Amino acid sequence: MNVLQSLDPWKDRTYVEDERKWSKWHLPFTLVFLISIVLYSTYAWVRFATQPEIETFSLQFSREVGSEEIVVLITHSHCNATTVCDRRAPELHQVFGPDSSAFCPGFATSVTVAELFTEYRVPLCYTPDQGLTGDGLSVEFPWIDEDEFFRVSIRSVPMNSQVVTRTEIDVQPWNRKTQVFQVVQKKRKSWGMLDEGDTALESKELVLSNLQYDGRWKGQRGTLRLRLEQFASTFTVARANSPLETFASIGGAASVIITCLGFGLSMFLFCSSKRKKVRPEQDPGGIDDVVVIEVETA
């Protein structure tokens, strides 16, 4: 205790009565404050290190994600790869007009006569005009017999994951159908010491989000439109709190602790002073004061 008292910066001051009371309780309450801060800091950092990761969902414009590649394979109900098929071959239409130039840079209008049982890798890009005559990727069938149909198999090209989307759809005479795809990506956010770190892309895949029937043609033709949704789904995995937020919580806890200690000490000293005022003074031993008179003799 003598060592602690020697560290008291107020030990050489001249106090009035109230200052002595505060100086008496200053060191114990300071120790309580420091111990509380150490305990809470330990709890906060252990909780930060063991906290589970959370996953948040957001939508991102598909034009920011970019175009995706798909593999289109067209087969016929009455033909196979080993026989000669004299049906009229379908056509792959890639139409990207002036309105889509800002969303699909580098793409132009093109028509490819697609042979059956042959895979074609084509870009799939978002276009603002999603109407029946709008821009985008379409598979046109000039002629389909009534008892036949074409089967279109669509496979996504693996991007940052091993997940591959495969869809199959049959196009019969007079059909006008549309398949709408959406990009789903997963990101992971890393934290720096004082701020948010980088966000890395973990996986990215193409999923079928909608299938719609657009009516029918007047004739033996068929159409399959392939479109990309306007928004891509983004899932971000990150820790719930950052190191900076942990430091902030410790600072907030320190202010709460010191406020509570100061209020508690004030109330304690106030109550103790009230008790001393109402306590009656006691005469020690009931002995009156004694006066000693010295008499000098000649």
Side-chain angles (χ1 to χ4, degrees):
M1 190 63 182
N2 294 332
V3 176
L4 296 178
Q5 289 179 350
S6 63
L7 299 176
D8 191 352
W10 290 276
K11 62 184 180 64
D12 295 330
R13 281 191 54 186
T14 302
Y15 301 101
V16 296
E17 184 65 21
D18 292 339
E19 289 180 335
R20 293 196 187 99
K21 294 176 183 178
W22 282 98
S23 178
K24 177 182 178 181
W25 294 101
H26 177 268
L27 185 59
F29 272 75
T30 302
L31 293 176
V32 172
F33 171 74
L34 295 177
I35 293 173
S36 301
I37 291 299
V38 170
L39 292 177
Y40 182 82
S41 301
T42 304
Y43 164 76
W45 286 113
V46 170
R47 184 179 179 183
F48 171 77
T50 58
Q51 64 179 336
E53 294 180 330
I54 60 174
E55 188 176 72
T56 58
F57 171 78
S58 61
L59 292 176
Q60 186 177 359
F61 284 107
S62 296
R63 65 174 180 266
E64 298 176 358
V65 177
S67 61
E68 309 300 336
E69 272 194 323
I70 59 175
V71 178
V72 179
L73 175 64
I74 305 174
T75 60
H76 194 272
S77 60
H78 288 58
C79 301
N80 54 55
T82 59
T83 61
V84 178
C85 191
D86 58 355
R87 273 73 176 176
R88 294 185 60 178
E91 300 173 352
L92 290 176
H93 289 252
Q94 300 180 53
V95 182
F96 299 98
D99 294 338
S100 303
S101 59
F103 299 87
C104 307
F107 297 137
T109 301
S110 63
V111 178
T112 302
V113 178
E115 298 181 1
L116 300 180
F117 310 103
T118 302
E119 290 187 344
Y120 292 87
R121 295 184 65 159
V122 292
L124 183 63
C125 179
Y126 167 73
T127 55
D129 186 2
Q130 297 281 354
L132 295 178
T133 59
D135 298 343
L137 177 64
S138 301
V139 184
E140 297 287 345
F141 301 91
W143 182 269
I144 307 176
D145 293 334
E146 292 189 6
D147 59 340
E148 299 178 354
F149 63 87
F150 286 89
R151 176 164 295 174
V152 182
S153 301
I154 300 173
R155 172 172 57 86
S156 65
V157 178
M159 289 166 267
N160 295 74
S161 68
Q162 300 300 322
V163 180
V164 178
T165 301
R166 299 178 185 271
T167 63
E168 289 186 353
I169 185 171
D170 296 336
V171 180
Q172 299 172 340
W174 314 296
N175 282 173
R176 301 173 71 179
K177 297 180 179 180
T178 300
Q179 281 186 320
V180 183
F181 295 87
Q182 185 184 39
V183 177
V184 179
Q185 56 185 357
K186 183 178 181 180
K187 298 181 179 180
R188 182 173 297 275
K189 181 183 295 184
S190 60
W191 293 102
M193 283 304 298
L194 297 178
D195 56 358
E196 296 184 6
D198 299 331
T199 301
L201 181 64
E202 280 197 342
S203 64
K204 187 179 180 183
E205 58 181 305
L206 198 66
V207 298
L208 178 64
S209 64
N210 191 16
L211 173 62
Q212 59 193 37
Y213 185 73
D214 300 324
R216 56 182 297 168
W217 290 107
K218 294 180 180 180
Q220 300 294 115
R221 60 178 297 190
T223 301
L224 175 63
R225 303 188 314 139
L226 305 176
R227 296 294 183 265
L228 191 66
E229 280 197 0
Q230 181 180 4
F231 297 100
S233 298
T234 303
F235 297 89
T236 304
V237 180
R239 289 183 176 271
N241 297 321
S242 65
L244 185 62
E245 292 173 333
T246 304
F247 279 117
S249 67
I250 295 174
S255 61
V256 172
I257 292 173
I258 197 170
T259 301
C260 295
L261 289 178
F263 179 77
L265 180 59
S266 301
M267 293 301 297
F268 174 77
L269 294 177
F270 176 78
C271 295
S272 62
S273 62
K274 288 294 184 181
R275 268 200 317 269
K276 289 182 179 179
K277 289 182 179 180
V278 299
R279 183 180 303 171
E281 296 183 359
Q282 297 180 358
D283 187 5
I287 303 175
D288 297 332
D289 295 337
V290 179
V291 179
V292 178
I293 301 175
E294 294 182 359
V295 179
E296 293 183 1
T297 57

